[in-house]
């Protein structure tokens, strides 16, 4: 789940999605988008690394693992 910064522009979000080979699956729901990263399941360690990297992006205000 990703919450983009309030000042994120559509072009910024598109570049973000492209750079992570990601797509928006649903949302926004309560301000959060369900985003799919890549096309395969990740290990817990890989997921943790990805979430930390995504959280460091300027246009992301919050990232949480989806259930």
């Amino acid at each position: 789940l990703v919450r983009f910064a309030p000042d994120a522009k559509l072009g910024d979000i598109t570049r973000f999605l492209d750079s992570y080979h990601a797509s928006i699956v649903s949302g926004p729901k309560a301000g959060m988008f369900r985003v799919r990263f890549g096309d395969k399941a990740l290990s817990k360690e890989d997921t943790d690394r990805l979430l930390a990297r995504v959280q460091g992006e300027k246009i992301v205000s919050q990232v949480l693992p989806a259930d």
Side-chain angles (χ1 to χ4, degrees):
L1 299 172
V2 176
R3 181 184 314 273
F4 294 103
D7 61 343
K9 295 182 173 43
L10 180 58
D12 298 329
I13 294 170
T14 300
R15 280 188 290 283
F16 166 83
L17 294 172
D18 287 345
S19 72
Y20 283 93
H21 306 288
S23 58
I24 294 175
V25 177
S26 65
K29 185 174 182 180
M32 301 288 283
F33 290 86
R34 181 175 292 272
V35 177
R36 176 174 292 127
F37 292 90
D39 59 359
K40 62 181 178 176
L42 299 175
S43 68
K44 167 104 172 77
E45 294 80 22
D46 288 340
T47 299
D48 290 345
R49 278 192 294 271
L50 175 64
L51 293 177
R53 189 171 150 212
V54 168
Q55 185 63 64
E57 295 286 343
K58 190 167 105 173
I59 68 163
V60 173
S61 63
Q62 185 178 21
V63 62
L64 300 168
D67 295 330

